[in-house]
Amino acid sequence: MSQLVRAKISALGTYVPPRVLSNADLEKMVETSNDWILERTGIRERHLADKGVATSDLAVEAARKALVQRGIPATDLEAILVATVTPDMFFPSTACLVQHKLGASGVWGFDLSAACSAFLYALQTGAQYISTGMHKKVMVIGSDVMSSIIDYTDRATCVIFGDGAGAVILEPAEEDGVGLIDYIHEVDGSGGNALYMPGGGSLNPSSRETVEKKMHYVHQDGQAVFKFAVRKQTELCEKLLKRNNLKGCDIDAFIPHQANRRIITATADRLGLRPESLVINIDRFGNTTAGTIPLAMQTAVEEGKLKKGSLVMLASVGAGFTVGATLLRWAY
Ligand code: UT7
């Protein structure tokens, strides 16, 4: 793929709400144990938003940090893309709410729905506006309040998810050797019923019945998603490496969606990645859906794994199914 202008990530901001739900807390809520959760998922704790705190609130906190890091006002942005599966409401879009809360007058934007792959899909969408020269500053945000759609009596799902957000600013890469290099995305709608929230849309509009049948919560066939995730994430990453004449061991930082520690390590083994390149923070945040990849970027920065020129591979699998893989060189 050739791009007219390569886009780069010029700033990163992240936010998780302060309230922590630990495995010990969950032991008191459902029939589970710290050992089971840790062994099967790698999660120790997750952060949850308080009542009344919405996806746009988390997004704005992350966005402000990215703007401060870059040293620009919100009005310098040209577009805001929000990746989320838990918008504040069906409409207006969360992007509109974020634009207003940031005071980013004159900016346009929209929401993008691709579940756990939404951040990668929004990143590449934003990058196209940079590549064509249409825009010079695009903000891409992944934000989810998963606790708003989780049934905290269902042990199969409530131990996994958390709330969180991350934001990046995309700009033209003015120097060679940094920025977004290539990506491969794929969706497979045949997996739609392995992970979904059936209620509230046009098929099953909200009603007493949809509430009684718990249709406004996440439903997941964990094993089906797990198997698809390992197979497909590996396949797309392999293709991406191959067509860029790279090997797994060339990657400096592998920053995957954080759904399950075992999915990450199984993918990494198959790709021949160096253990020190893996970025894993699922123990602290759980699965924050669109938030995981920017939150893991922040962890990679803190762990010293992202330096200017570092070769980074991002990867995701989510409801849909949606799959994504992106190669880039870190720009600062
Ligand atoms: O980001 C979106 C993408 N989502 C994913 O990638 C999720 C992928 N799937 C997974 O991560 C895993 O499948 C889970 C973590 C969801 C489940 O782990 P698993 O190893 O696949 O467990 P399982 O569903 O096969 O269940 C094994 C056993 C069952 O008991 P029996 O039938 O063997 O007696 C479950 O009832 O574990 C039981 N179980 C639990 N036990 C204690 C399920 N959830 C729990 C729990 N605590 N929270």
Side-chain angles (χ1 to χ4, degrees):
M1 187 190 68
S2 65
Q3 291 185 334
L4 297 174
V5 182
R6 191 172 271 187
K8 68 171 184 185
I9 293 172
S10 61
L12 167 70
T14 59
Y15 179 77
V16 290
R19 183 158 62 98
V20 171
L21 184 73
S22 68
N23 290 352
D25 296 328
L26 281 161
E27 282 177 350
K28 294 177 203 138
M29 295 161 62
V30 288
E31 202 179 324
T32 191
S33 67
N34 176 52
D35 288 350
W36 190 96
I37 301 171
L38 210 49
E39 191 191 311
R40 302 288 181 122
T41 71
I43 303 168
R44 289 178 191 279
E45 58 185 34
R46 64 294 284 146
H47 290 246
L48 301 192
D50 285 333
K51 201 170 184 301
V53 175
T55 291
S56 67
D57 297 313
L58 273 52
V60 164
E61 295 286 346
R64 286 202 178 113
K65 287 187 192 171
L67 289 166
V68 167
Q69 187 192 321
R70 183 65 185 82
I72 56 170
T75 46
D76 276 12
L77 300 172
E78 289 154 274
I80 298 172
L81 277 50
V82 178
T84 186
V85 80
T86 52
D88 288 26
M89 56 195 91
F90 266 3
F91 65 87
S93 72
T94 306
C96 293
L97 304 174
V98 170
Q99 175 275 330
H100 181 61
K101 288 179 187 180
L102 285 177
S105 56
V107 176
W108 77 291
F110 56 91
D111 290 2
L112 193 150
S113 171
C116 300
S117 298
F119 182 79
L120 289 195
Y121 288 17
L123 189 72
Q124 290 299 346
T125 305
Q128 304 309 310
Y129 296 118
I130 302 290
S131 293
T132 58
M134 275 309 289
H135 293 316
K136 298 271 186 271
K137 287 184 179 60
V138 175
M139 177 166 271
V140 175
I141 306 173
S143 182
D144 270 304
V145 176
M146 292 306 292
S147 59
S148 65
I149 55 168
I150 293 298
D151 175 3
Y152 283 92
T153 65
D154 175 14
R155 69 176 184 175
T157 51
C158 74
V159 302
I160 299 170
F161 292 96
D163 303 337
V168 297
I169 298 173
L170 290 172
E171 296 186 52
E174 268 134 20
E175 52 188 322
D176 288 342
V178 297
L180 272 60
I181 299 167
D182 197 5
Y183 73 94
I184 302 180
H185 292 164
E186 194 175 320
V187 302
D188 179 358
S190 71
N193 60 2
L195 180 52
Y196 69 130
M197 189 182 81
S202 53
L203 180 63
N204 299 299
S206 308
S207 66
R208 180 189 294 263
E209 193 191 355
T210 61
V211 171
E212 281 170 1
K213 289 185 172 167
K214 299 194 167 198
M215 290 167 77
H216 300 276
Y217 291 131
V218 171
H219 295 254
Q220 174 170 256
D221 176 349
Q223 287 202 4
V225 180
F226 190 102
K227 285 179 195 153
F228 181 87
V230 174
R231 179 171 64 79
K232 211 59 197 183
Q233 193 165 267
T234 306
E235 185 190 309
L236 260 57
C237 288
E238 263 169 357
K239 271 193 204 166
L240 192 62
L241 288 169
K242 196 169 171 209
R243 80 179 186 192
N244 286 278
N245 299 314
L246 292 165
K247 293 200 166 57
C249 59
D250 295 325
I251 298 297
D252 297 312
F254 178 56
I255 305 182
H257 170 54
Q258 311 279 312
N260 187 313
R261 191 187 174 93
R262 291 182 294 136
I263 294 177
I264 298 171
T265 52
T267 307
D269 282 352
R270 284 161 204 224
L271 292 171
L273 301 179
R274 286 179 283 128
E276 63 273 22
S277 72
L278 300 199
V279 180
I280 302 180
N281 65 9
I282 193 170
D283 51 322
R284 289 188 284 149
F285 304 122
N287 180 350
T288 57
T289 303
T292 60
I293 290 180
L295 279 166
M297 281 178 181
Q298 183 63 43
T299 298
V301 170
E302 287 161 11
E303 291 177 349
K305 288 178 177 160
L306 289 181
K307 307 218 164 60
K308 191 170 180 179
S310 296
L311 186 60
V312 180
M313 188 157 62
L314 313 175
S316 66
V317 175
F321 292 121
T322 56
V323 196
T326 288
L327 263 181
L328 61 93
R329 282 199 185 272
W330 200 247
Y332 61 89

